[in-house]
């Protein structure tokens, strides 16, 4: 800009472009879409904070998956203190602790980062990665694919168990196979020595969501 003005080209631009009758300058009134909401992002709930799992669709409605214990059905969801949607469905118990948040603020568009899809066949020893708002990224390996845990008086069965690190606020964040980037579930909580995740195969049969590429 300084070089242009030093050569007097700024005045030429004003005379020949800005003042040209065929060009009309208008202020843009369209709100640009925000694509920063991604797997592991911090999301606000009436109970505090949780982590976004991954972008998905349920009954042709776009939204994302997160932890069921973070939302009750009908609860509002926030991102950066902005209302982005509502919890359409939340379930806790059995082998499921998952919720689906439908997006109602269409200026916020969730993305899936590097995630490539879902994988339902997992084994002890598989290398996995968890994303979350508190411990942003942690790797480990699966120690069990059928763990039973009691959390806040609710008994859960057939959970995944792994060695990745987690902390409060990471609930709902995606757990995926490290090499293929395929989602195998969402983080639920932790025991004294390991972390617990809800397997994707446990909630997709409930017509909870399927991942959007």
């Amino acid at each position: 800009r300084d070089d242009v003005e030093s050569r007097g080209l700024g005045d030429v631009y004003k005379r020949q472009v800005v003042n040209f009758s065929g060009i009309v300058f208008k202020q843009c009134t369209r709100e640009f879409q925000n694509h920063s909401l991604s797997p592991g992002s911090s999301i606000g709930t009436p109970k505090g904070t949780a982590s976004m799992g991954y972008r998905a669709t349920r009954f042709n409605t776009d939204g994302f998956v997160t932890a069921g214990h973070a939302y009750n059905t009908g609860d509002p969801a926030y991102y950066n203190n902005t209302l982005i949607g509502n919890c359409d469905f939340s379930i806790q118990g059995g082998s499921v602790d998952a919720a689906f948040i439908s997006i109602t603020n269409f200026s916020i568009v969730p993305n899936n980062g590097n995630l490539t899809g879902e994988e339902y066949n997992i084994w002890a020893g598989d290398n996995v990665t968890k994303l979350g708002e508190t411990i942003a990224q942690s790797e480990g390996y699966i120690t069990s694919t059928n763990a039973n845990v009691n959390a806040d008086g609710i008994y859960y069965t057939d959970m995944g168990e792994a060695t990745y690190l987690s902390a409060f606020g990471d609930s709902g964040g995606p757990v995926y196979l490290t090499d293929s980037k395929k989602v195998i579930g969402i983080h639920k909580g932790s025991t004294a020595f390991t972390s617990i995740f809800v397997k994707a195969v446990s909630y997709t049969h409930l017509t909870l969501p399927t991942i959007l590429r």
Side-chain angles (χ1 to χ4, degrees), residues 39-40 52-54 114-115 122 125-132 135-142 161-166 170 172-187 195-198:
M52 172 186 158
Y54 51 92
N114 294 324
L115 302 180
I122 58 175
D126 285 347
N127 293 319
V128 295
T129 301
K130 183 267 320 169
L131 303 179
I135 299 179
Q137 180 173 322
S138 179
E139 297 181 2
Y141 61 90
I142 295 174
E161 187 175 20
T163 61
Y164 62 78
L165 299 178
S166 61
D170 288 340
V175 180
Y176 59 89
L177 295 174
T178 302
D179 291 336
S180 69
K181 304 296 189 295
K182 289 188 175 182
V183 173
I184 61 171
I186 54 175
H187 175 67
S195 293
I196 301 296
F197 63 92
V198 185

Side-chain angles (χ1 to χ4, degrees), residues 138-176:
S138 179
E139 297 181 2
Y141 61 90
I142 295 174
T143 58
S144 175
T145 60
N146 60 350
N148 300 326
V149 297
N150 190 310
D152 298 322
I154 302 175
Y155 188 69
Y156 293 91
T157 61
D158 201 28
M159 297 278 110
E161 187 175 20
T163 61
Y164 62 78
L165 299 178
S166 61
F168 182 83
D170 288 340
S171 294
V175 180
Y176 59 89

Side-chain angles (χ1 to χ4, degrees), residues 18 27 63-64 75 80 91 102 118 124 141 144 148 160 165 179 205 212:
V18 176
Q27 182 177 358
F64 60 86
D75 277 350
N80 288 339
I91 186 169
S102 61
E118 290 168 320
Y141 61 90
S144 175
N148 300 326
L165 299 178
D179 291 336
H205 75 282
L212 286 178

Side-chain angles (χ1 to χ4, degrees), residues 18-162:
V18 176
N19 296 326
F20 180 63
S21 60
I23 296 178
V24 178
F25 290 89
K26 291 185 177 181
Q27 182 177 358
C28 178
T29 58
R30 179 181 177 183
E31 184 177 359
F32 287 91
Q33 292 181 325
N34 181 340
H35 293 268
S36 63
L37 179 58
S38 58
S41 289
S42 177
I43 50 176
T45 87
K47 303 176 183 180
T49 59
S51 297
M52 172 186 158
Y54 51 92
R55 183 182 174 207
T57 183
R58 179 175 183 262
F59 299 143
N60 297 317
T61 298
D62 289 349
F64 60 86
V65 185
T66 188
H69 66 264
Y71 292 92
N72 295 324
T73 301
D75 277 350
Y78 299 89
Y79 175 60
N80 288 339
N81 296 316
T82 299
L83 180 66
I84 58 171
N86 298 289
C87 177
D88 286 357
F89 188 87
S90 177
I91 186 169
Q92 297 180 70
S95 60
V96 181
D97 180 355
F100 179 74
I101 307 299
S102 61
I103 297 296
T104 57
N105 182 343
F106 299 109
S107 67
I108 306 292
V109 180
N111 71 80
N112 269 335
N114 294 324
L115 302 180
T116 59
E118 290 168 320
E119 177 58 63
Y120 304 137
N121 298 311
I122 58 175
W123 311 95
D126 285 347
N127 293 319
V128 295
T129 301
K130 183 267 320 169
L131 303 179
E133 68 148 325
T134 306
I135 299 179
Q137 180 173 322
S138 179
E139 297 181 2
Y141 61 90
I142 295 174
T143 58
S144 175
T145 60
N146 60 350
N148 300 326
V149 297
N150 190 310
D152 298 322
I154 302 175
Y155 188 69
Y156 293 91
T157 61
D158 201 28
M159 297 278 110
E161 187 175 20

